[in-house]
Amino acid sequence: MTRIIVITSGKGGVGKTTVSANLGMALAKMGRQIALIDADFGLRNLDLLLGLENRIVYTAVEVLSRECRLEQALVKDKRLPNLVLLPAAQNRSKDAVNPEQMKLLVNALAQKYQYVLIDSPAGIENGFKNAIAPAKEALIVTTPEISAVRDADRVVGLLEAQGVKRVHLIINRIRPAMVRANDMMSVQDVQELLAIPLIGVIPDDERVIVSTNRGEPLVLAETPSVAALAFDNIARRLEGETVDFLDFDSPQDNIFARLRKLLWTKIV
């Protein structure tokens, strides 16, 4: 049974595309067959984060207009060939595709891939409606800011109205020191406001920016990071594993010490 998951938020700039790229790669590392769809027609970015921008020939729009076959538009990742990207068209408006067409694309991909991850555009307009139309599950990405949380809450309601009942929360860019100083909402604060199950917490990490600029998802980096471990843990939870959440209330040194210990145990 293919899992069709939309990654959304309502608010722009909270890290949806970063989550899509890293989560897709983390699942692919586990041997799953992954199809990533960039649903942000007119403003695609998922190809950049994956480092696949130079290999795009056709997009979803050409598939729907029958200018090419679906297989011709899929960009296969060389590092993990079990992951493919269906890119959005940069030179078209968000009205270039409608919800029924998105369902057709996703249903075709679901014949071959175990996960179809849809990277939703910001906002709740046509692009968002396209992205959620074929989805069976949703991951809501928010940062611990009141405006982002309020937008996420609105999206939860829209997903429920669309019949997407399986919804989980990812809190991105948490800064433990700011939480301890009461300058940032805590994980518990966000959970209480949104009242949906938590599946991942990702710390603020400058290496995310570096990996984005290089087109190398953090989960593929040779040097491990806490953020990469957080993405890997989300993938494992999606697979049904019970994985403890990282304790961001502890000093950062302790987190890195536990990470080193965990990695050393795996090596041994």
Side-chain angles (χ1 to χ4, degrees), residues 49-141:
L49 272 67
L50 293 166
L52 300 175
E53 68 277 8
N54 294 327
R55 298 180 51 211
I56 293 172
V57 179
Y58 298 109
T59 71
V61 171
E62 279 83 44
V63 176
L64 291 168
S65 61
R66 300 191 176 181
E67 294 173 47
C68 71
R69 290 177 287 107
L70 177 59
E71 292 74 17
Q72 290 176 292
L74 296 176
V75 183
K76 188 176 286 189
D77 191 273
K78 288 181 178 177
R79 297 156 297 194
L80 293 168
N82 51 325
L83 180 142
V84 298
L85 168 68
L86 179 60
Q90 262 188 310
N91 57 349
R92 305 291 181 96
S93 72
K94 296 193 190 301
D95 299 325
V97 175
N98 63 45
E100 289 306 313
Q101 289 174 316
M102 277 295 288
K103 287 180 184 177
L104 284 173
L105 286 171
V106 169
N107 288 339
L109 289 167
Q111 305 302 312
K112 184 176 178 183
Y113 295 93
Q114 292 168 293
Y115 283 85
V116 178
L117 303 181
I118 306 165
D119 182 23
S120 172
I124 53 171
E125 307 306 324
N126 289 342
F128 168 78
K129 291 172 184 173
N130 286 335
I132 69 170
K136 307 298 182 196
E137 305 174 47
L139 298 176
I140 305 278
V141 182

Coordinates of all heavy atoms in Angstrom, one line a residue, residues 49-141:
L49 N 17.4 21.8 -3.7 CA 17.8 21.2 -2.4 C 18.3 19.8 -2.6 O 19.2 19.3 -1.8 CB 16.7 21.2 -1.5 CG 16.5 22.5 -0.6 CD1 16.2 23.7 -1.4 CD2 15.5 22.3 0.5
L50 N 17.9 19.1 -3.7 CA 18.3 17.7 -4.0 C 19.5 17.7 -4.9 O 20.1 16.7 -5.1 CB 17.2 17.0 -4.6 CG 16.0 16.6 -3.8 CD1 14.8 16.2 -4.6 CD2 16.3 15.6 -2.7
G51 N 19.9 18.9 -5.4 CA 21.0 19.0 -6.4 C 20.7 18.4 -7.7 O 21.6 17.9 -8.4
L52 N 19.5 18.4 -8.1 CA 19.0 17.8 -9.4 C 18.6 18.8 -10.4 O 18.0 18.5 -11.5 CB 17.9 16.8 -9.1 CG 18.1 15.7 -8.2 CD1 16.9 14.9 -7.9 CD2 19.2 14.8 -8.7
E53 N 18.9 20.1 -10.2 CA 18.3 21.2 -11.1 C 18.8 21.1 -12.5 O 18.1 21.5 -13.5 CB 18.6 22.6 -10.5 CG 20.1 23.0 -10.4 CD 20.8 22.5 -9.2 OE1 20.3 21.6 -8.5 OE2 22.0 22.9 -9.1
N54 N 20.1 20.6 -12.7 CA 20.6 20.5 -14.0 C 20.2 19.3 -14.9 O 20.5 19.2 -16.0 CB 22.2 20.6 -14.0 CG 22.7 21.9 -13.4 OD1 22.1 22.9 -13.6 ND2 23.8 21.8 -12.6
R55 N 19.4 18.5 -14.2 CA 19.0 17.3 -14.9 C 17.5 17.2 -15.3 O 17.0 16.3 -15.9 CB 19.3 16.0 -14.0 CG 20.9 15.9 -13.8 CD 21.2 14.8 -12.9 NE 20.6 13.6 -13.4 CZ 20.2 12.5 -12.7 NH1 20.4 12.6 -11.3 NH2 19.7 11.5 -13.2
I56 N 16.9 18.4 -15.1 CA 15.4 18.4 -15.5 C 15.3 18.7 -17.0 O 15.8 19.6 -17.5 CB 14.7 19.5 -14.7 CG1 14.7 19.2 -13.2 CG2 13.3 19.8 -15.2 CD1 14.2 20.2 -12.3
V57 N 14.5 17.8 -17.6 CA 14.2 18.0 -19.1 C 12.7 18.3 -19.2 O 12.3 19.3 -19.9 CB 14.5 16.8 -19.9 CG1 14.2 16.9 -21.3 CG2 16.0 16.4 -19.7
Y58 N 11.9 17.5 -18.5 CA 10.4 17.7 -18.6 C 9.9 17.9 -17.2 O 10.5 17.6 -16.2 CB 9.7 16.5 -19.2 CG 10.1 16.2 -20.6 CD1 10.9 15.2 -21.0 CD2 9.7 17.1 -21.7 CE1 11.3 14.9 -22.3 CE2 10.0 16.8 -23.0 CZ 10.8 15.7 -23.3 OH 11.2 15.5 -24.6
T59 N 8.7 18.4 -17.1 CA 8.0 18.7 -15.8 C 6.6 18.0 -15.8 O 6.2 17.5 -16.8 CB 7.9 20.2 -15.5 OG1 6.9 20.7 -16.3 CG2 9.2 20.9 -15.6
A60 N 6.0 18.1 -14.6 CA 4.6 17.6 -14.5 C 3.7 18.2 -15.5 O 2.8 17.5 -16.0 CB 4.1 17.9 -13.1
V61 N 3.8 19.4 -15.9 CA 2.9 20.1 -16.9 C 3.1 19.4 -18.2 O 2.0 19.2 -18.9 CB 3.2 21.6 -17.0 CG1 2.5 22.2 -18.1 CG2 2.9 22.3 -15.6
E62 N 4.3 19.0 -18.6 CA 4.5 18.4 -19.9 C 3.9 17.0 -19.9 O 3.4 16.5 -20.9 CB 6.0 18.3 -20.3 CG 6.5 19.5 -20.9 CD 7.0 20.5 -19.9 OE1 7.6 20.1 -18.9 OE2 6.6 21.7 -20.0
V63 N 3.9 16.3 -18.7 CA 3.3 15.0 -18.6 C 1.8 15.1 -18.8 O 1.2 14.4 -19.6 CB 3.6 14.4 -17.2 CG1 2.8 13.1 -17.1 CG2 5.1 14.2 -17.0
L64 N 1.2 16.1 -18.2 CA -0.3 16.3 -18.3 C -0.8 16.7 -19.6 O -1.9 16.4 -20.1 CB -0.8 17.3 -17.2 CG -0.6 16.8 -15.8 CD1 -0.8 17.9 -14.8 CD2 -1.6 15.6 -15.5
S65 N 0.1 17.5 -20.3 CA -0.2 17.9 -21.7 C 0.2 16.9 -22.8 O 0.1 17.1 -24.0 CB 0.4 19.2 -22.0 OG 1.8 19.1 -22.0
R66 N 0.7 15.7 -22.3 CA 1.0 14.6 -23.1 C 2.2 14.9 -24.1 O 2.3 14.3 -25.2 CB -0.2 14.0 -23.9 CG -1.3 13.6 -23.0 CD -2.4 12.8 -23.6 NE -3.3 12.3 -22.7 CZ -4.4 11.6 -23.0 NH1 -4.6 11.3 -24.3 NH2 -5.2 11.2 -22.1
E67 N 3.0 15.8 -23.7 CA 4.2 16.1 -24.5 C 5.3 15.1 -24.1 O 6.3 15.0 -24.9 CB 4.7 17.5 -24.2 CG 3.8 18.6 -24.6 CD 4.2 20.0 -24.2 OE1 5.4 20.3 -24.3 OE2 3.3 20.7 -23.7
C68 N 5.2 14.4 -23.0 CA 6.2 13.3 -22.7 C 5.5 12.3 -21.8 O 4.4 12.6 -21.2 CB 7.4 13.9 -21.9 SG 7.0 14.5 -20.3
R69 N 6.1 11.2 -21.6 CA 5.6 10.2 -20.7 C 6.0 10.5 -19.2 O 7.0 11.2 -19.0 CB 6.1 8.8 -21.1 CG 5.5 8.2 -22.3 CD 6.1 6.9 -22.7 NE 7.5 7.0 -23.2 CZ 8.6 6.7 -22.6 NH1 8.5 6.2 -21.3 NH2 9.8 6.8 -23.1
L70 N 5.3 10.0 -18.3 CA 5.7 10.3 -16.9 C 7.1 9.9 -16.6 O 7.9 10.6 -15.9 CB 4.7 9.5 -15.9 CG 5.0 9.6 -14.4 CD1 4.9 11.1 -14.0 CD2 3.9 8.8 -13.7
E71 N 7.5 8.7 -17.1 CA 8.9 8.2 -16.8 C 10.0 9.2 -17.3 O 11.1 9.2 -16.8 CB 9.1 6.8 -17.5 CG 8.3 5.7 -16.8 CD 6.8 5.8 -17.2 OE1 6.4 6.5 -18.2 OE2 6.0 5.2 -16.4
Q72 N 9.6 9.9 -18.4 CA 10.6 10.8 -19.0 C 10.8 12.1 -18.1 O 11.9 12.7 -18.1 CB 10.2 11.3 -20.4 CG 10.3 10.2 -21.4 CD 9.7 10.6 -22.8 OE1 8.5 10.9 -22.9 NE2 10.6 10.8 -23.8
A73 N 9.8 12.4 -17.4 CA 9.8 13.6 -16.5 C 10.5 13.3 -15.2 O 11.0 14.2 -14.5 CB 8.4 14.2 -16.3
L74 N 10.5 12.0 -14.8 CA 11.1 11.7 -13.4 C 12.6 11.8 -13.5 O 13.2 11.2 -14.3 CB 10.6 10.3 -13.0 CG 9.1 10.0 -12.8 CD1 8.9 8.6 -12.5 CD2 8.6 10.9 -11.7
V75 N 13.1 12.5 -12.5 CA 14.6 12.7 -12.4 C 15.1 11.7 -11.3 O 14.7 11.9 -10.1 CB 15.0 14.1 -12.0 CG1 16.5 14.3 -12.0 CG2 14.4 15.1 -13.0
K76 N 15.9 10.8 -11.7 CA 16.4 9.8 -10.8 C 17.7 10.3 -10.1 O 18.5 10.8 -10.7 CB 16.7 8.5 -11.5 CG 17.0 7.3 -10.6 CD 17.2 6.0 -11.4 CE 15.9 5.5 -11.9 NZ 16.1 4.1 -12.4
D77 N 17.7 10.1 -8.7 CA 18.9 10.6 -8.0 C 20.0 9.6 -8.2 O 19.8 8.3 -8.1 CB 18.5 10.7 -6.5 CG 19.6 11.4 -5.7 OD1 20.5 10.7 -5.3 OD2 19.5 12.6 -5.6
K78 N 21.2 10.1 -8.5 CA 22.3 9.2 -8.7 C 22.9 8.6 -7.5 O 23.4 7.5 -7.5 CB 23.5 9.9 -9.5 CG 23.1 10.3 -10.9 CD 24.3 11.0 -11.6 CE 24.0 11.3 -13.0 NZ 25.1 12.0 -13.7
R79 N 22.7 9.3 -6.3 CA 23.2 8.8 -5.1 C 22.4 7.7 -4.5 O 22.9 6.7 -4.0 CB 23.3 9.9 -4.0 CG 24.3 11.1 -4.4 CD 23.9 12.4 -3.8 NE 22.6 12.9 -4.2 CZ 22.1 14.1 -4.0 NH1 22.8 15.0 -3.4 NH2 20.9 14.4 -4.5
L80 N 21.1 7.8 -4.7 CA 20.1 6.8 -4.2 C 19.1 6.6 -5.4 O 18.1 7.3 -5.4 CB 19.4 7.3 -2.9 CG 20.3 7.3 -1.7 CD1 19.5 8.0 -0.6 CD2 20.7 5.9 -1.2
P81 N 19.3 5.7 -6.3 CA 18.5 5.5 -7.5 C 17.0 5.1 -7.2 O 16.2 5.2 -8.1 CB 19.2 4.4 -8.3 CG 20.6 4.4 -7.7 CD 20.5 4.8 -6.3
N82 N 16.8 4.7 -5.9 CA 15.4 4.4 -5.6 C 14.6 5.7 -5.2 O 13.4 5.5 -4.7 CB 15.3 3.4 -4.4 CG 16.2 3.8 -3.2 OD1 17.2 4.4 -3.4 ND2 15.7 3.5 -2.0
L83 N 15.1 6.8 -5.4 CA 14.4 8.1 -5.2 C 14.3 8.9 -6.5 O 15.3 9.0 -7.2 CB 15.1 9.0 -4.2 CG 14.5 10.3 -3.8 CD1 14.6 10.6 -2.4 CD2 15.1 11.5 -4.6
V84 N 13.1 9.3 -6.9 CA 12.9 10.1 -8.1 C 12.2 11.4 -7.7 O 11.5 11.5 -6.7 CB 12.1 9.4 -9.2 CG1 12.9 8.1 -9.6 CG2 10.7 9.0 -8.7
L85 N 12.4 12.4 -8.5 CA 11.7 13.7 -8.4 C 10.9 14.0 -9.6 O 11.3 13.9 -10.7 CB 12.8 14.8 -8.2 CG 12.2 16.3 -8.3 CD1 11.3 16.6 -7.2 CD2 13.4 17.3 -8.4
L86 N 9.6 14.4 -9.4 CA 8.8 14.9 -10.4 C 8.7 16.4 -10.2 O 8.1 16.9 -9.3 CB 7.4 14.3 -10.4 CG 6.4 14.9 -11.4 CD1 6.9 14.6 -12.8 CD2 5.0 14.3 -11.2
P87 N 9.5 17.2 -11.1 CA 9.6 18.6 -10.9 C 8.4 19.4 -11.3 O 7.6 19.0 -12.2 CB 10.8 19.0 -11.7 CG 11.0 17.9 -12.7 CD 10.3 16.7 -12.2
A88 N 8.2 20.6 -10.7 CA 7.2 21.5 -11.1 C 7.7 22.4 -12.2 O 8.9 22.5 -12.4 CB 6.7 22.4 -9.9
A89 N 6.8 23.0 -13.0 CA 7.2 23.9 -14.0 C 7.5 25.3 -13.4 O 6.7 25.8 -12.6 CB 6.2 24.0 -15.1
Q90 N 8.6 25.9 -13.8 CA 8.9 27.2 -13.3 C 8.2 28.4 -14.0 O 8.0 29.4 -13.4 CB 10.4 27.5 -13.4 CG 11.2 27.2 -12.1 CD 12.6 27.6 -12.2 OE1 13.3 27.3 -13.2 NE2 13.1 28.3 -11.2
N91 N 7.9 28.1 -15.2 CA 7.3 29.2 -16.0 C 5.8 29.1 -16.2 O 5.2 29.7 -17.2 CB 8.0 29.2 -17.4 CG 7.8 27.9 -18.1 OD1 7.4 26.9 -17.5 ND2 8.1 27.8 -19.4
R92 N 5.2 28.5 -15.3 CA 3.7 28.4 -15.3 C 3.1 28.9 -14.0 O 3.8 28.9 -13.0 CB 3.2 26.9 -15.5 CG 3.8 26.2 -16.7 CD 3.3 26.8 -18.0 NE 3.8 26.1 -19.2 CZ 3.2 25.1 -19.8 NH1 2.0 24.7 -19.3 NH2 3.7 24.5 -20.8
S93 N 1.8 29.3 -14.0 CA 1.2 29.8 -12.8 C 0.7 28.6 -12.0 O 0.7 27.4 -12.5 CB 0.0 30.6 -13.2 OG -1.1 29.8 -13.7
K94 N 0.3 28.8 -10.8 CA -0.2 27.8 -9.9 C -1.5 27.2 -10.5 O -2.0 26.1 -10.0 CB -0.4 28.3 -8.5 CG 0.9 28.7 -7.9 CD 0.8 29.0 -6.4 CE 2.0 29.6 -5.8 NZ 3.2 28.9 -6.0
D95 N -2.2 27.8 -11.4 CA -3.4 27.3 -12.0 C -3.1 26.4 -13.2 O -4.1 25.9 -13.8 CB -4.3 28.5 -12.6 CG -4.7 29.4 -11.4 OD1 -4.9 29.0 -10.3 OD2 -4.7 30.7 -11.7
A96 N -1.8 26.1 -13.5 CA -1.5 25.2 -14.6 C -2.0 23.8 -14.4 O -2.1 23.0 -15.3 CB 0.0 25.3 -14.8
V97 N -2.2 23.4 -13.1 CA -2.6 22.1 -12.8 C -3.8 22.2 -11.8 O -3.9 23.1 -11.0 CB -1.5 21.3 -12.1 CG1 -1.9 19.9 -11.6 CG2 -0.3 21.1 -13.0
N98 N -4.8 21.3 -12.0 CA -5.9 21.3 -11.1 C -5.9 20.0 -10.2 O -5.1 19.1 -10.4 CB -7.2 21.4 -11.9 CG -7.5 20.2 -12.8 OD1 -7.3 19.0 -12.4 ND2 -7.9 20.5 -14.0
P99 N -6.7 20.0 -9.2 CA -6.7 18.9 -8.2 C -6.9 17.5 -8.9 O -6.2 16.5 -8.5 CB -7.8 19.2 -7.2 CG -7.9 20.7 -7.2 CD -7.6 21.1 -8.7
E100 N -7.8 17.4 -9.9 CA -8.0 16.1 -10.5 C -6.8 15.6 -11.3 O -6.4 14.4 -11.3 CB -9.2 16.2 -11.5 CG -10.5 16.4 -10.8 CD -10.8 15.3 -9.7 OE1 -10.6 14.1 -10.1 OE2 -11.2 15.6 -8.6
Q101 N -6.0 16.6 -11.9 CA -4.8 16.2 -12.6 C -3.7 15.7 -11.6 O -3.0 14.8 -11.9 CB -4.3 17.4 -13.4 CG -5.2 17.7 -14.6 CD -4.7 19.0 -15.3 OE1 -4.5 20.0 -14.7 NE2 -4.7 18.9 -16.6
M102 N -3.7 16.4 -10.4 CA -2.7 16.0 -9.4 C -3.0 14.5 -8.9 O -2.1 13.7 -8.7 CB -2.7 16.9 -8.2 CG -1.9 18.2 -8.3 SD -0.1 17.8 -8.5 CE 0.2 17.4 -6.8
K103 N -4.3 14.2 -8.8 CA -4.7 12.9 -8.4 C -4.2 11.9 -9.5 O -3.7 10.8 -9.1 CB -6.2 12.8 -8.2 CG -6.7 13.5 -7.0 CD -8.2 13.3 -6.9 CE -8.8 14.1 -5.7 NZ -10.2 14.0 -5.6
L104 N -4.3 12.2 -10.7 CA -3.9 11.3 -11.8 C -2.4 11.1 -11.7 O -2.0 9.9 -11.8 CB -4.2 11.9 -13.2 CG -5.7 11.9 -13.6 CD1 -5.9 12.7 -14.9 CD2 -6.1 10.4 -13.9
L105 N -1.6 12.1 -11.5 CA -0.2 12.0 -11.4 C 0.2 11.1 -10.2 O 1.0 10.2 -10.4 CB 0.5 13.4 -11.3 CG 0.6 14.3 -12.5 CD1 1.0 15.6 -12.1 CD2 1.5 13.7 -13.6
V106 N -0.4 11.4 -9.1 CA 0.0 10.6 -7.9 C -0.5 9.2 -8.0 O 0.3 8.3 -7.6 CB -0.7 11.3 -6.6 CG1 -0.6 10.4 -5.4 CG2 0.0 12.7 -6.4
N107 N -1.6 8.9 -8.5 CA -2.1 7.5 -8.7 C -1.2 6.7 -9.6 O -0.9 5.6 -9.4 CB -3.5 7.5 -9.2 CG -4.5 8.0 -8.2 OD1 -4.3 7.9 -7.0 ND2 -5.7 8.4 -8.6
A108 N -0.6 7.4 -10.6 CA 0.3 6.7 -11.6 C 1.6 6.4 -10.8 O 2.1 5.3 -11.0 CB 0.6 7.6 -12.8
L109 N 2.1 7.3 -10.0 CA 3.3 7.1 -9.2 C 3.1 6.0 -8.1 O 4.0 5.2 -7.8 CB 3.8 8.4 -8.6 CG 4.4 9.4 -9.5 CD1 4.5 10.7 -8.8 CD2 5.7 9.0 -10.1
A110 N 1.9 6.0 -7.6 CA 1.6 5.0 -6.5 C 1.6 3.5 -7.0 O 1.7 2.6 -6.2 CB 0.2 5.3 -5.9
Q111 N 1.6 3.3 -8.3 CA 1.7 2.0 -8.9 C 3.1 1.4 -8.7 O 3.3 0.2 -8.6 CB 1.4 2.0 -10.4 CG 0.0 2.6 -10.7 CD -1.1 1.9 -10.1 OE1 -1.2 0.7 -10.1 NE2 -2.0 2.7 -9.5
K112 N 4.1 2.3 -8.5 CA 5.5 1.8 -8.5 C 6.2 2.1 -7.2 O 7.1 1.4 -6.8 CB 6.2 2.4 -9.7 CG 7.7 1.9 -9.8 CD 8.3 2.5 -11.1 CE 9.8 2.0 -11.1 NZ 10.5 2.6 -12.3
Y113 N 5.8 3.2 -6.5 CA 6.6 3.7 -5.4 C 5.9 3.5 -4.1 O 4.6 3.5 -4.0 CB 6.9 5.2 -5.6 CG 7.8 5.4 -6.8 CD1 7.3 5.7 -8.0 CD2 9.2 5.3 -6.7 CE1 8.1 5.9 -9.1 CE2 10.0 5.4 -7.8 CZ 9.4 5.7 -9.0 OH 10.2 5.8 -10.1
Q114 N 6.7 3.2 -3.0 CA 6.1 2.9 -1.7 C 5.7 4.2 -1.0 O 4.7 4.2 -0.2 CB 7.1 2.2 -0.8 CG 7.4 0.8 -1.4 CD 8.6 0.2 -0.7 OE1 9.7 0.6 -0.9 NE2 8.4 -0.9 0.1
Y115 N 6.4 5.3 -1.2 CA 6.0 6.6 -0.7 C 5.9 7.6 -1.8 O 6.8 7.7 -2.7 CB 7.1 7.1 0.3 CG 7.1 6.4 1.7 CD1 7.7 5.3 1.9 CD2 6.4 7.0 2.7 CE1 7.7 4.7 3.1 CE2 6.4 6.4 4.0 CZ 7.1 5.3 4.2 OH 7.1 4.7 5.4
V116 N 4.9 8.4 -1.8 CA 4.8 9.6 -2.7 C 4.7 10.8 -1.7 O 3.7 10.9 -1.0 CB 3.6 9.6 -3.6 CG1 3.5 10.8 -4.4 CG2 3.6 8.3 -4.5
L117 N 5.8 11.6 -1.7 CA 5.8 12.8 -0.8 C 5.6 14.0 -1.7 O 6.3 14.3 -2.6 CB 7.2 12.9 -0.1 CG 7.6 11.7 0.7 CD1 9.0 11.9 1.3 CD2 6.6 11.3 1.8
I118 N 4.6 14.8 -1.3 CA 4.2 16.0 -2.0 C 4.6 17.2 -1.3 O 4.2 17.5 -0.1 CB 2.7 16.0 -2.3 CG1 2.2 14.7 -2.9 CG2 2.3 17.2 -3.1 CD1 0.7 14.5 -2.9
D119 N 5.5 18.0 -1.9 CA 6.0 19.3 -1.3 C 5.0 20.4 -1.6 O 5.0 20.8 -2.8 CB 7.4 19.6 -1.8 CG 8.0 20.8 -1.1 OD1 7.5 21.2 0.0 OD2 8.9 21.4 -1.7
S120 N 4.2 20.8 -0.6 CA 3.2 21.8 -0.9 C 3.7 23.2 -0.9 O 4.6 23.5 -0.2 CB 2.1 21.7 0.2 OG 1.2 22.7 0.1
P121 N 3.2 24.1 -1.8 CA 3.5 25.5 -1.7 C 3.0 26.2 -0.5 O 2.1 25.7 0.2 CB 2.9 26.1 -3.0 CG 1.8 25.2 -3.3 CD 2.2 23.8 -2.8
A122 N 3.5 27.4 -0.2 CA 3.0 28.1 0.9 C 1.6 28.7 0.6 O 1.2 28.7 -0.6 CB 3.9 29.3 1.2
G123 N 0.9 29.0 1.6 CA -0.5 29.6 1.5 C -1.5 28.5 1.4 O -1.2 27.3 1.6
I124 N -2.8 28.9 1.2 CA -3.9 28.0 1.2 C -4.7 28.2 -0.1 O -5.9 28.0 -0.1 CB -4.8 28.1 2.5 CG1 -5.2 29.6 2.7 CG2 -4.0 27.6 3.7 CD1 -6.3 29.7 3.8
E125 N -4.1 28.7 -1.1 CA -4.8 28.9 -2.4 C -4.7 27.7 -3.3 O -4.6 26.6 -2.8 CB -4.1 30.1 -3.1 CG -4.0 31.4 -2.2 CD -5.4 31.8 -1.6 OE1 -6.4 31.7 -2.3 OE2 -5.4 32.3 -0.4
N126 N -4.8 27.9 -4.6 CA -4.9 26.8 -5.5 C -3.8 25.8 -5.4 O -4.0 24.6 -5.5 CB -5.0 27.3 -7.0 CG -6.3 28.0 -7.2 OD1 -7.3 27.8 -6.5 ND2 -6.4 28.8 -8.3
G127 N -2.5 26.3 -5.2 CA -1.4 25.4 -5.1 C -1.5 24.4 -4.0 O -1.2 23.2 -4.1
F128 N -2.0 24.9 -2.9 CA -2.2 24.1 -1.7 C -3.3 23.1 -1.9 O -3.2 21.9 -1.6 CB -2.6 25.0 -0.5 CG -3.2 24.3 0.7 CD1 -2.3 23.6 1.6 CD2 -4.5 24.3 1.0 CE1 -2.8 23.0 2.7 CE2 -5.0 23.7 2.1 CZ -4.2 23.0 3.0
K129 N -4.4 23.5 -2.6 CA -5.5 22.6 -2.9 C -5.1 21.5 -3.8 O -5.5 20.4 -3.6 CB -6.7 23.4 -3.5 CG -7.4 24.4 -2.5 CD -8.4 25.3 -3.2 CE -8.9 26.3 -2.2 NZ -9.8 27.3 -2.9
N130 N -4.2 21.8 -4.7 CA -3.7 20.8 -5.6 C -2.9 19.7 -4.8 O -3.0 18.5 -5.0 CB -2.8 21.4 -6.7 CG -3.5 22.1 -7.8 OD1 -4.7 21.8 -8.0 ND2 -2.8 23.1 -8.4
A131 N -2.0 20.3 -3.9 CA -1.1 19.4 -3.2 C -1.9 18.4 -2.2 O -1.5 17.3 -2.1 CB -0.1 20.2 -2.4
I132 N -2.9 18.9 -1.6 CA -3.6 18.1 -0.6 C -4.7 17.2 -1.3 O -5.1 16.2 -0.7 CB -4.3 18.9 0.5 CG1 -5.5 19.7 0.0 CG2 -3.3 19.8 1.2 CD1 -6.3 20.4 1.1
A133 N -5.1 17.4 -2.5 CA -6.1 16.7 -3.2 C -5.9 15.2 -3.2 O -6.8 14.4 -2.8 CB -6.4 17.2 -4.6
P134 N -4.7 14.7 -3.5 CA -4.5 13.2 -3.6 C -4.0 12.6 -2.3 O -3.9 11.4 -2.2 CB -3.4 13.1 -4.7 CG -2.7 14.4 -4.7 CD -3.5 15.4 -4.1
A135 N -3.7 13.5 -1.3 CA -3.1 13.0 -0.1 C -3.9 12.1 0.8 O -5.1 12.4 1.0 CB -2.5 14.2 0.7
K136 N -3.3 11.1 1.5 CA -4.0 10.3 2.5 C -3.5 10.7 3.9 O -4.2 10.4 4.8 CB -3.7 8.8 2.2 CG -4.0 8.3 0.8 CD -5.5 8.5 0.5 CE -5.7 7.9 -0.9 NZ -7.1 8.4 -1.5
E137 N -2.3 11.3 3.9 CA -1.7 11.7 5.2 C -1.1 13.0 5.0 O -0.8 13.5 3.9 CB -0.6 10.7 5.6 CG -1.0 9.2 5.7 CD 0.2 8.3 6.0 OE1 1.0 8.7 6.9 OE2 0.3 7.3 5.3
A138 N -0.8 13.7 6.1 CA -0.1 15.0 6.1 C 0.9 15.2 7.2 O 0.7 14.7 8.3 CB -1.2 16.1 6.1
L139 N 2.0 15.8 6.9 CA 2.9 16.3 7.9 C 2.9 17.8 7.9 O 3.1 18.5 6.9 CB 4.3 15.8 7.5 CG 4.6 14.3 7.5 CD1 6.0 14.0 7.0 CD2 4.3 13.6 8.8
I140 N 2.5 18.4 9.0 CA 2.4 19.8 9.2 C 3.8 20.3 9.8 O 4.2 19.9 10.8 CB 1.3 20.2 10.2 CG1 0.0 19.6 9.8 CG2 1.2 21.7 10.3 CD1 -0.8 20.4 8.7
V141 N 4.4 21.2 9.0 CA 5.7 21.7 9.5 C 5.4 23.1 10.0 O 4.8 24.0 9.4 CB 6.7 21.8 8.3 CG1 8.1 22.3 8.8 CG2 6.9 20.4 7.7

